[in-house]
Amino acid sequence: KVVSYYGLRSPPYESNALEPFMSKRTLEVHWGAHHRGYLDALNKQLENDDILYGCTLDQLIRVTYNNGNPLPEFNNAAQLWNHDFFWESMQPGGGGTPTDFLLEKMEKDFGSFSDFKQGFKEAAMTSFGAVWVWLVLKREKKCLEIVTTSNAINPLVWNDFPLMGLDMWEHAYYLDYKNDKGRYVSAFMDHLVSWNAAAARLARAQAFVNLGEPKIPVA
Amino acid sequence: STRSFQCRRSRKRDLKKGVIKASVELKPPPYALDALEPVMSRETFEYHWGKHHRAYVDNLNKQIAGTELDTKTLEEIILLTYNKGDFLPPFNNAAQAWNHEFFWESLKPGGGGQPSGELSRLIDRDFGSFEAFINKFKTAAATQFGCGWAWLVYKANRLDVGNAVNPRPSQDDKKLLVVKSPNAINPLIWDYSPLLTIDVWEHAYYLDYENRRADYISTFVEKLVCWEAVSARLDAAKAKAAEREAREEEARNGESDEQSGSEKNMQLYFD
């Protein structure tokens, strides 16, 4: 008898589609073993639980985060979500520059796209341990920010809107780049990141956050 | 062969200025880089020791050059920069440099088997049996989420309150524990004496085992652990605990001996 509360979504491309920047083997192990492992562990934990039932994954993450004192299910739930988000943050033939509103917002909040790129790479390179690096739209401040979170934490727990995420756990890059984090981050930014996905997420976030400029009439 | 762990520092005395400049060294593991094949490959060592460990040492030396940390031992640097949890920048590099040196010395070609002597007796006393200890150790290593380390430590159980004295101290107060720590943290900051460690950062096993951390841990226990090193460290830890107790005893007696002390001094001048 198989009991499953959440499912495993496959990345929106073939496992060899991101070659040579992310090898087929990495996709197979990262998605097939790590990501699937988090799902299986979460389903097993939820089998024994009467209370955490019927949540969407986002809700489950916020509930199990428990305001900073996470329940045991948090790590698995958050990592499950993080990896789904990560696969969708990449595309074959990605990289390049964002366009339209996302680019405008980026220039407003970071100065220029290359400033943002620089800041993102720096955040990824100076991180220690197992971290994720995110481009986030902050709900209250209504601005874009680069956020680094450790282990399984993601910006949902602070009610913000992640637009794009990079997995800096060693399992994400060790098979392809070994210890060379810099090349991995550059490959991600230059060839993998899906600005289409980020723009779509920004558009969706605008249903919750008003990014318009107030039209103050001049007397 | 075993070596007792010492903090290795090279001191270059700049004779003109009379300044001692110390730097932390990158020592090679006490065996060839391919000696632990096939359970830990030469390629893993080339990256793990040759790149990761080397980077920690180099970056640490850059960070402490010209500061007051320059003259301290590696263990002192770790304790100072831990800063009660609010790490100063050199902490991660210093702790990782120490951790990795400790890790290489915990392994040996043809390792595994069982401990003996005093170590075996204490394991049986504190965990019930060797199997129970191994299970606890493996579980700690497997459940350390993210990056980290699992340890066997010797805890000299002392109350850290200034005026509290254990009225009936005994050797049985001191015990072995299994602990796990995240990222760079190691049990020195908790005032434990580490005896054995396993590196469960993914870079330690990814090239040889990919995601199969459990296989890596089992292989570590069955084929890599150097129990002689662990026993040697246990002896050193016990000696250190005994010495510390003797010093504290002396300090306490010294306070109550002030009056008779001056008489002793006078007696020195008489033949």
Side-chain angles (χ1 to χ4, degrees):
Chain A
K1 182 180 160 207
V2 172
V3 181
S4 180
Y5 297 89
Y6 296 95
L8 182 67
R9 280 158 59 179
S10 50
Y13 34 76
E14 295 290 325
S15 53
N16 60 357
L18 302 181
E19 294 266 12
F21 308 105
M22 192 174 276
S23 63
K24 179 172 203 264
R25 184 66 193 154
T26 296
L27 258 298
E28 281 173 0
V29 181
H30 197 176
W31 175 76
H34 286 278
H35 191 180
R36 190 187 298 273
Y38 292 124
L39 172 77
D40 293 340
L42 179 64
N43 282 331
K44 195 139 177 266
Q45 281 174 317
L46 291 178
E47 254 178 49
N48 305 325
D49 201 302
D50 290 330
I51 302 175
L52 295 171
Y53 178 77
C55 304
T56 64
L57 193 52
D58 290 30
Q59 287 173 335
L60 184 64
I61 291 172
R62 291 196 181 94
V63 165
T64 52
Y65 182 63
N66 198 19
N67 286 317
N69 194 1
L71 306 178
E73 292 82 359
F74 174 75
N75 282 338
N76 291 322
Q79 282 290 75
L80 182 58
W81 188 94
N82 293 345
H83 284 88
D84 274 338
F85 190 84
F86 180 51
W87 304 132
E88 289 165 9
S89 298
M90 297 193 287
Q91 67 175 78
T97 349
T99 54
D100 298 330
F101 185 62
L102 177 55
L103 182 62
E104 256 178 61
K105 190 82 177 108
M106 227 178 239
E107 285 173 346
K108 182 157 160 237
D109 292 326
F110 294 108
S112 71
F113 174 65
S114 42
D115 283 339
F116 156 73
K117 205 164 158 181
Q118 180 65 24
F120 194 86
K121 283 192 183 172
E122 229 178 272
M125 292 303 295
T126 55
S127 62
F128 187 76
V131 301
W132 288 79
V133 190
W134 311 87
L135 169 63
V136 172
L137 175 68
K138 307 285 277 178
R139 189 189 286 254
E140 305 296 322
K141 293 198 275 186
K142 301 185 184 180
C143 64
L144 295 179
E145 237 178 64
I146 300 168
V147 173
T148 310
T149 59
S150 67
N151 289 2
I153 297 186
N154 60 41
L156 292 181
V157 306
W158 300 303
N159 248 337
D160 292 327
F161 299 93
L163 303 181
M164 175 268 275
L166 172 59
D167 189 353
M168 288 301 294
W169 283 57
E170 283 170 332
H171 64 231
Y173 60 88
Y174 217 77
L175 291 178
D176 296 331
Y177 299 93
K178 310 251 174 33
N179 70 313
D180 199 344
K181 289 202 300 198
R183 271 182 51 225
Y184 167 60
V185 180
S186 295
F188 176 80
M189 285 302 279
D190 297 336
H191 301 284
L192 288 176
V193 64
S194 170
W195 291 119
N196 294 330
R201 289 162 178 159
L202 180 61
R204 184 181 164 279
Q206 288 187 275
F208 303 89
V209 178
N210 184 355
L211 293 179
E213 292 293 324
K215 275 211 174 79
I216 303 171
V218 179
Chain B
S1 65
T2 61
R3 292 191 304 202
S4 57
F5 179 75
Q6 293 163 339
C7 280
R8 266 152 282 272
R9 312 271 301 170
S10 64
R11 303 189 106 90
K12 299 168 210 119
R13 190 181 284 272
D14 186 335
L15 290 174
K16 285 178 237 157
K17 297 181 201 163
V19 165
I20 303 178
K21 277 184 170 193
S23 65
V24 177
E25 258 179 33
L26 175 69
K27 289 219 72 177
Y31 34 76
L33 295 188
D34 57 2
L36 302 186
E37 293 267 13
V39 294
M40 193 176 274
S41 62
R42 170 187 238 282
E43 201 190 5
T44 295
F45 268 100
E46 282 173 0
Y47 284 96
H48 199 178
W49 174 78
K51 308 237 162 134
H52 289 273
H53 189 182
R54 191 186 298 277
Y56 292 128
V57 171
D58 291 344
N59 290 336
L60 175 65
N61 284 333
K62 276 188 232 159
Q63 280 174 316
I64 64 176
T67 70
E68 59 192 9
L69 292 175
D70 212 353
T71 55
K72 309 249 184 257
T73 64
L74 188 52
E75 297 196 357
E76 286 171 340
I77 295 177
I78 292 172
L79 293 172
L80 287 168
T81 53
Y82 178 65
N83 198 21
K84 298 188 182 151
D86 186 12
F87 309 158
L88 302 177
F91 174 78
N92 282 334
N93 289 322
Q96 283 290 78
W98 190 95
N99 294 345
H100 281 88
E101 205 176 318
F102 193 82
F103 181 52
W104 307 136
E105 291 170 2
S106 304
L107 309 175
K108 72 167 188 188
Q114 299 231 0
S116 57
E118 180 66 5
L119 176 60
S120 179
R121 184 185 78 80
L122 283 181
I123 286 179
D124 288 340
R125 185 194 74 176
D126 292 329
F127 297 102
S129 68
F130 179 66
E131 285 71 34
F133 155 66
I134 288 294
N135 276 338
K136 240 184 161 167
F137 187 78
K138 283 189 184 180
T139 308
T143 55
Q144 175 51 47
F145 188 72
C147 303
W149 304 76
W151 307 81
L152 170 66
V153 302
Y154 180 71
K155 176 178 181 183
N157 205 350
R158 298 152 53 239
L159 292 171
D160 261 348
V161 184
N163 62 351
V165 177
N166 186 347
R168 293 175 57 189
S170 86
Q171 282 305 309
D172 286 345
D173 290 338
K174 306 181 183 61
K175 53 188 179 173
L176 297 178
L177 288 176
V178 165
V179 293
K180 59 188 181 192
S181 59
N183 292 358
I185 294 190
N186 63 39
L188 293 176
I189 61 170
W190 301 315
D191 204 23
Y192 295 166
S193 299
L195 303 180
L196 172 66
T197 190
I198 178 171
D199 186 353
V200 288
W201 281 62
E202 284 166 335
H203 64 232
Y205 58 90
Y206 221 75
L207 295 178
D208 296 327
Y209 299 88
E210 287 177 342
N211 69 305
R212 301 186 316 273
R213 191 194 278 196
D215 288 348
Y216 161 66
I217 298 169
S218 299
T219 312
F220 171 86
V221 165
E222 288 160 19
K223 301 199 180 144
L224 288 174
V225 182
C226 175
W227 291 113
E228 293 84 8
V230 182
S231 289
R233 289 162 178 165
L234 177 63
D235 292 337
K238 290 178 112 179
K240 188 169 143 207
E243 189 208 348
R244 187 190 246 174
E245 278 184 345
R247 260 187 292 135
E248 287 174 353
E249 190 63 34
E250 242 182 72
R252 274 197 296 275
N253 291 341
E255 284 164 15
S256 54
D257 265 1
E258 273 182 323
Q259 287 181 336
S260 45
S262 50
E263 278 180 26
K264 277 193 216 146
N265 281 335
M266 279 165 54
Q267 284 176 1
L268 283 173
Y269 290 96
F270 298 127
D271 274 335

